[in-house]
Amino acid sequence: MIIGVAGRNGAGKGELVSFLEARSFTALSLSDAIRAELAAQGLEESRERMIETGQAMRRRAGPGALAQSLAKQLLPDRNYAIDSIRHPVEVEILRAHAEATGHVFQLVWVDAKLETRFDRMVARGRPGDPETIEDLEALEARERGSDDPNAQQLDAVEAEADYRLANDASLEAFQEAIQAWVRKNLSFARPDWDDYFMGIARVVASRSNCVKRKVAAVVTLEKRIISTGYNGTPRGTTNCNEGGCPRCNDLAPGGTRLDECLCSHAEENAITQAAYHGVSLKGGSIYTTFSPCLQCTKMIINAGLVEVVYQSDYPLGETSLSLLAEAGIEARQIGGQGAGAPIGAPARSK
């Protein structure tokens, strides 16, 4: 999950981030890039300098510059709590990144009364904090919104919030409110088995040495992976990307010079790899990034596989799909046009 944290000065954003960090979230802040910029210029940190430097960085690289820089650090297998979101474009970038990486993004707005926030700022004694309530109001008027698209736009950020947490009482009461919110609202979705195995197939495809197309296949049995394969030249021969296959290296048009192609297909390699290690494929499913060619289809049938799940259509694959149906083998396409639609036999429950 990616939890974006926003709010006004002294509201308790840091307390929420610390609470999540103590529960295995990785804590980050969009302000870290500004602090690094100040350090590079040899300047001491102050609120005014942070605001001015942040605006300068947005002018140079766009209003989403800070979020774009931080998004590059995010890994798909971690939960994050991200502080100091101050512009709606930053929210937009983090939401889009979460969607692209399989995260769930939620923006939480932390709020408290003006007097409460001022008292907290006085108590913490941070350099550059306002010395009077009037100073705080003047500062926040600048942060709430501006005609300058690169300035802070906190009112617009607040409007994007998925949840609001009030923090006008004690720290203990705030932590109890956070805990209640966590129990109620933090959730995530896992990929189903089809997406899981096809995702692994796409990673396997990255090992392909074919210069024309990277394809991979994963064979499963009872939700266990028992064999994988990717396309490329045979074991012990020169890799295709090193000049091993004359047809591929000449970039021959599709469907031509097939008698010169030295590359084995992904499904072929997954099946022969299992045979090499003495593993039976009978009753299994094969996940492949392209529907199989005719040669691989015949191997799939004779190997005893009972299901083919594929992502994209092979250019010459219509005969193969017809043959699979005749042999009583289920074929399903996922992740594209007609995703999940059965071809031939009805889909089995996964």
Side-chain angles (χ1 to χ4, degrees), residues 185-258:
N185 296 302
L186 292 194
S187 62
F188 60 92
R190 297 193 302 163
D192 63 21
W193 288 108
D194 281 347
D195 289 337
Y196 174 68
F197 289 129
M198 192 61 77
I200 292 173
R202 287 192 287 268
V203 174
V204 173
S206 67
R207 281 287 300 167
S208 168
N209 64 65
C210 181
V211 299
K212 292 197 67 176
R213 178 185 288 139
K214 293 180 179 292
V215 184
V218 171
V219 181
T220 69
L221 183 64
E222 298 177 349
K223 299 183 176 63
R224 294 180 295 110
I225 295 174
I226 58 176
S227 182
T228 65
Y230 50 82
N231 60 325
T233 48
R235 184 194 306 269
T237 64
T238 304
N239 286 332
C240 180
N241 64 319
E242 296 170 344
C245 178
R247 174 183 180 270
C248 292
N249 281 269
D250 286 346
L251 298 180
T256 68
R257 298 173 57 184
L258 297 177

Side-chain angles (χ1 to χ4, degrees), residues 12-296:
K13 302 184 298 295
E15 292 296 340
L16 173 56
V17 171
S18 296
F19 184 94
L20 294 173
E21 185 176 21
R23 286 149 183 83
S24 301
F25 279 69
T26 298
L28 297 172
S29 173
L30 293 184
S31 296
D32 290 341
I34 302 176
R35 295 188 178 96
E37 181 73 11
L38 289 174
Q41 297 179 21
L43 299 174
E44 292 186 6
E45 179 184 327
S46 70
R47 184 172 295 279
E48 289 294 330
R49 283 193 181 127
M50 291 284 287
I51 293 173
E52 292 170 359
T53 303
Q55 290 180 2
M57 294 173 70
R58 293 187 185 100
R59 290 190 188 98
R60 287 199 305 267
L66 303 181
Q68 288 170 339
S69 175
L70 182 139
K72 296 176 183 177
Q73 307 174 38
L74 305 183
L75 302 174
D77 60 344
R78 298 187 186 181
N79 294 322
Y80 290 95
I82 300 177
D83 196 3
S84 299
I85 298 175
R86 302 179 184 277
H87 198 286
V89 174
E90 295 168 348
V91 179
E92 179 183 336
I93 289 171
L94 292 173
R95 284 196 195 279
H97 179 85
E99 182 177 352
T101 58
H103 283 87
V104 173
F105 178 84
Q106 295 178 351
L107 178 63
V108 181
W109 181 265
V110 184
D111 208 355
K113 296 176 182 177
L114 177 67
E115 295 77 13
T116 302
R117 295 189 287 107
F118 177 71
D119 290 343
R120 289 173 183 159
M121 296 174 74
V122 171
R124 73 188 183 188
R126 184 178 297 172
D129 277 349
E131 297 182 358
T132 67
I133 286 184
E134 291 74 22
D135 291 342
L136 177 56
E137 288 177 319
L139 172 65
E140 292 188 342
R142 293 174 53 193
E143 297 178 345
R144 292 183 64 174
S146 170
D147 292 335
D148 182 354
N150 299 302
Q152 296 184 21
Q153 309 279 349
L154 281 184
D155 282 356
V157 172
E158 182 179 4
E160 294 287 332
D162 299 296
Y163 300 100
R164 302 175 64 91
L165 288 175
N167 183 24
D168 287 301
S170 65
L171 176 60
E172 292 75 17
F174 184 47
Q175 290 176 339
E176 289 176 3
I178 297 172
Q179 186 71 52
W181 168 73
V182 168
R183 290 197 190 102
K184 181 179 179 181
N185 296 302
L186 292 194
S187 62
F188 60 92
R190 297 193 302 163
D192 63 21
W193 288 108
D194 281 347
D195 289 337
Y196 174 68
F197 289 129
M198 192 61 77
I200 292 173
R202 287 192 287 268
V203 174
V204 173
S206 67
R207 281 287 300 167
S208 168
N209 64 65
C210 181
V211 299
K212 292 197 67 176
R213 178 185 288 139
K214 293 180 179 292
V215 184
V218 171
V219 181
T220 69
L221 183 64
E222 298 177 349
K223 299 183 176 63
R224 294 180 295 110
I225 295 174
I226 58 176
S227 182
T228 65
Y230 50 82
N231 60 325
T233 48
R235 184 194 306 269
T237 64
T238 304
N239 286 332
C240 180
N241 64 319
E242 296 170 344
C245 178
R247 174 183 180 270
C248 292
N249 281 269
D250 286 346
L251 298 180
T256 68
R257 298 173 57 184
L258 297 177
D259 58 330
E260 299 178 25
C261 186
L262 302 184
C263 288
S264 298
H265 286 190
E267 302 93 327
E268 177 185 359
N269 277 332
I271 293 170
T272 56
Q273 182 75 0
Y276 185 85
H277 292 285
V279 177
S280 172
L281 305 184
K282 185 178 180 180
S285 299
I286 185 165
Y287 287 79
T288 178
T289 54
F290 277 83
S291 60
C293 71
L294 186 57
Q295 180 65 31
C296 289

Side-chain angles (χ1 to χ4, degrees), residues 303-326:
L305 293 165
V306 297
E307 180 183 45
V308 175
V309 185
Y310 64 95
Q311 177 176 275
S312 302
D313 289 306
Y314 184 67
L316 304 174
E318 292 183 4
T319 302
S320 299
L321 295 176
S322 297
L323 189 60
L324 289 172
E326 182 182 348

